[in-house]
Amino acid sequence: MNALPLSLEPSRLPDGFIESLRGVFGDRLHLGEAMRAQHGASEAHFDTVLPDAVVFALSTEDVVAAVKLCGEAGVPIIAYGAGTSIEGNTTPVNGGLTIDLSLMDQIVQVNAEDFDVTVQAGVRREHLNEHLRDVGLFFPIDPGANATIGGMASTRASGTNAVRYGTMREAVLSLRVVTPDGRDIRTARRARKSAAGYDLTRLFVGSEGTLGIITEVTLRLHGIPESILSAVCSFETLAGAVDTVVQSIQMGVPLARVEILDDVQMRAVNAWSKLDYPEKTTLFFEFHGSERYVQEQVETVSALASANGGGAFQWSSLPEERAKLWKARHEAYYAAIGLRKGCVGWPTDVCVPISRLAECITQTKEDLEAASIPGPILGHVGDGNFHVVFVIDPNKPEEAAEAEALNRRMVQRALDMDGTCTGEHGIGLGKQDWLVAELGEAVDIMRTIKRAMDPQNLLNPGKIFSL
């Protein structure tokens, strides 16, 4: 449901380019429609647009070779990881070559004494944590999907643990990046701080593949807590749940995770994950620390929840029960879509200062209750970030129009509260106008950087802003 055409045309690549690619990649070059369609589809409501070819890279050297060939031929390049982004971030709007980095899945070096690790861009976050478990460390950034580390860096992902551990902005220490002219650069060393020149690491984190292709990432790690406890609490009102979170943070409780799911989302989660929680606005908590400290946190938050209309805490420290709870949360998007057979999801997110969160989320809920389409609310309310998934029939343009209008009100409300149009999804295709509304002439500075680094506009063209 956007203006992008469904591209099923055969390859439009220049003569000789395919042969050059085949000379480098052999049978890791794919021209078939099925493979191209897989790399042109989106998790969300955006139309499928096919690249002209797909290659699977095994090394930074492969990426360098592909970028140089594309530069010589003027072919657009799209970096692709797990394909879990939901703002059309990897949609090849101008065709071209998609470089799939998912086979670059090696854990290069674990530095346990320094609490950091270097991985190739295609490493999945779940695999990384399985690998780290034996040394007592973990990587906390958890966007829900089993995304690749390179993709998470490219979109500045965050997720359920952000309230305690921050986002990819804080987690990334250094990057290895292939620039638009084919240079292989390293943005920083492993030191925890540096005053050496421009902060190129932060420039590439969140750039959505428009300034360079990330091939390796060095990440900050954390020790696995002595005690981890998860809890669930339902509330009579949405405002009561939000107030509990805000008050907990204002009292200094170091919540590791706190997720909100409204009554509509809980109905969807119960049906999808075969659970039986009350179909009321619900908070999912997780507490980390020593056993005594975790107990203190639970007692404080329980008291706040009770004062705000919350029910009894259902809690567990058993790994299998915690895993079941968070699996249900991570599958909430698919649960939402399951509310209407044959429909698709239009996900959106905003983030506001936590002092304005209750007001923003309550007004959004009022809009959704008056709508003709379902729009479950869920989100990482500990940092002011929440999501709505509009569930729409792709064959009814009036529903897409209604979702667009609801989204417009929600984003404008967030901006009016000095918030942002996206807390973690990125801009991609879907929020380019809102980026300009949010940052104004600062977007022209972004365009200047893009033109200077990628004068041919070959890296993921059409994303974040128009040139």
Side-chain angles (χ1 to χ4, degrees):
M1 298 154 356
N2 54 38
L4 298 177
L6 177 65
S7 172
L8 296 174
E9 296 297 321
S11 175
R12 298 160 291 180
L13 299 174
D15 293 342
F17 180 73
I18 293 295
E19 288 70 22
S20 297
L21 280 177
R22 186 170 285 115
V24 175
F25 292 94
D27 61 5
R28 289 181 285 121
L29 166 65
H30 297 270
L31 302 173
E33 185 176 304
M35 182 65 74
R36 292 162 57 214
Q38 176 186 331
H39 288 80
S42 170
E43 280 276 350
H45 61 289
F46 295 96
D47 292 335
T48 297
V49 184
L50 275 61
D52 296 300
V54 177
V55 295
F56 284 78
L58 298 178
S59 65
T60 298
E61 290 72 24
D62 277 351
V63 177
V64 168
V67 168
K68 286 184 175 180
L69 287 172
C70 288
E72 293 168 1
V75 173
I77 313 159
I78 303 90
Y80 187 96
T84 56
S85 59
I86 51 180
E87 284 290 356
N89 311 74
T90 60
T91 302
V93 293
N94 294 342
L97 177 69
T98 291
I99 303 177
D100 190 311
L101 305 171
S102 62
L103 299 182
M104 293 180 60
D105 58 357
Q106 299 301 305
I107 296 173
V108 179
Q109 184 178 25
V110 178
N111 302 294
E113 298 85 356
D114 295 322
F115 284 71
D116 68 57
V117 63
T118 298
V119 301
Q120 288 185 312
V123 169
R124 302 286 189 111
R125 65 169 187 87
E126 291 180 4
H127 171 62
L128 175 59
N129 276 323
E130 290 168 4
H131 185 87
L132 293 171
R133 189 175 296 120
D134 291 343
V135 295
L137 299 174
F138 81 115
F139 171 62
I141 311 303
D142 178 6
N146 189 19
T148 62
I149 299 300
M152 290 171 64
S154 293
T155 54
R156 199 159 56 215
S158 55
T160 59
N161 279 319
V163 61
R164 174 75 174 269
Y165 298 100
T167 72
M168 287 299 284
R169 181 181 62 188
E170 291 76 38
V172 176
L173 295 172
S174 176
L175 297 169
R176 188 175 180 184
V177 179
V178 177
T179 62
D181 57 1
R183 283 178 290 175
D184 173 6
I185 68 168
R186 186 178 177 187
T187 62
R189 301 297 182 97
R190 288 196 299 116
R192 286 304 175 102
K193 67 177 184 178
S194 172
Y198 294 162
D199 190 347
L200 294 180
T201 303
R202 300 297 172 271
L203 178 63
F204 287 106
V205 171
S207 64
E208 301 186 26
T210 62
L211 299 179
I213 298 177
I214 296 170
T215 62
E216 287 185 11
V217 187
T218 300
L219 297 165
R220 187 189 308 266
L221 302 177
H222 297 263
I224 296 175
E226 173 190 334
S227 178
I228 301 176
L229 186 147
S230 292
V232 179
C233 182
S234 60
F235 288 78
E236 294 301 321
T237 66
L238 183 67
V242 176
D243 286 343
T244 297
V245 175
V246 173
Q247 292 164 14
S248 297
I249 293 170
Q250 290 172 339
M251 290 184 66
V253 178
L255 301 168
R257 305 196 215 195
V258 56
E259 299 289 293
I260 193 168
L261 296 86
D262 76 348
D263 55 331
V264 181
Q265 184 65 70
M266 286 305 299
R267 174 163 57 88
V269 164
N270 279 343
W272 182 266
S273 298
K274 306 298 187 290
L275 300 174
D276 59 355
Y277 289 118
E279 292 180 359
K280 302 178 179 179
T281 296
T282 301
L283 294 178
F284 289 5
F285 293 96
E286 190 165 276
F287 304 92
H288 293 178
S290 66
E291 289 189 13
R292 179 177 177 181
Y293 191 32
V294 164
Q295 189 58 42
E296 291 175 354
Q297 294 174 52
V298 171
E299 290 173 0
T300 299
V301 177
S302 295
L304 292 172
S306 178
N308 286 307
F313 265 48
Q314 301 178 50
W315 57 271
S316 177
S317 60
L318 297 176
E320 59 271 22
E321 292 184 0
R322 289 192 289 106
K324 183 178 180 181
L325 173 69
W326 292 109
K327 183 175 186 291
R329 166 59 186 90
H330 290 334
E331 294 180 354
Y333 175 62
Y334 303 104
I337 298 172
L339 287 170
R340 296 180 69 193
K341 186 176 181 180
C343 289
V344 299
W346 178 322
T348 185
D349 81 313
V350 295
C351 188
V352 297
I354 62 167
S355 63
R356 305 298 302 273
L357 179 60
E359 181 183 2
C360 188
I361 203 168
T362 299
Q363 291 180 18
T364 300
K365 179 68 172 177
E366 290 171 356
D367 278 355
L368 294 170
E369 288 177 338
S372 68
I373 55 176
I377 293 176
L378 64 158
H380 324 302
V381 287
D383 52 15
N385 183 203
F386 69 95
H387 311 256
V388 173
V389 180
F390 304 114
V391 186
I392 60 176
D393 186 334
N395 299 310
K396 294 183 177 179
E398 65 274 16
E399 292 192 1
E402 184 176 9
E404 176 60 38
L406 290 165
N407 181 60
R408 184 165 56 250
R409 286 175 57 83
M410 172 180 164
V411 176
Q412 186 62 61
R413 181 179 298 121
L415 296 185
D416 290 343
M417 296 178 178
D418 206 19
T420 177
C421 66
T422 173
E424 61 183 8
H425 292 177
I427 297 298
L429 292 170
K431 288 191 171 173
Q432 295 187 16
D433 290 343
W434 289 113
L435 177 65
V436 175
E438 179 175 332
L439 296 178
E441 292 190 9
V443 180
D444 284 336
I445 303 300
M446 298 181 193
R447 292 189 177 102
T448 299
I449 294 170
K450 169 69 170 174
R451 291 188 183 105
M453 296 183 64
D454 183 14
Q456 296 186 81
N457 190 26
L458 296 182
L459 286 191
N460 208 10
K463 307 303 165 51
I464 303 183
F465 44 71
S466 59
L467 287 179

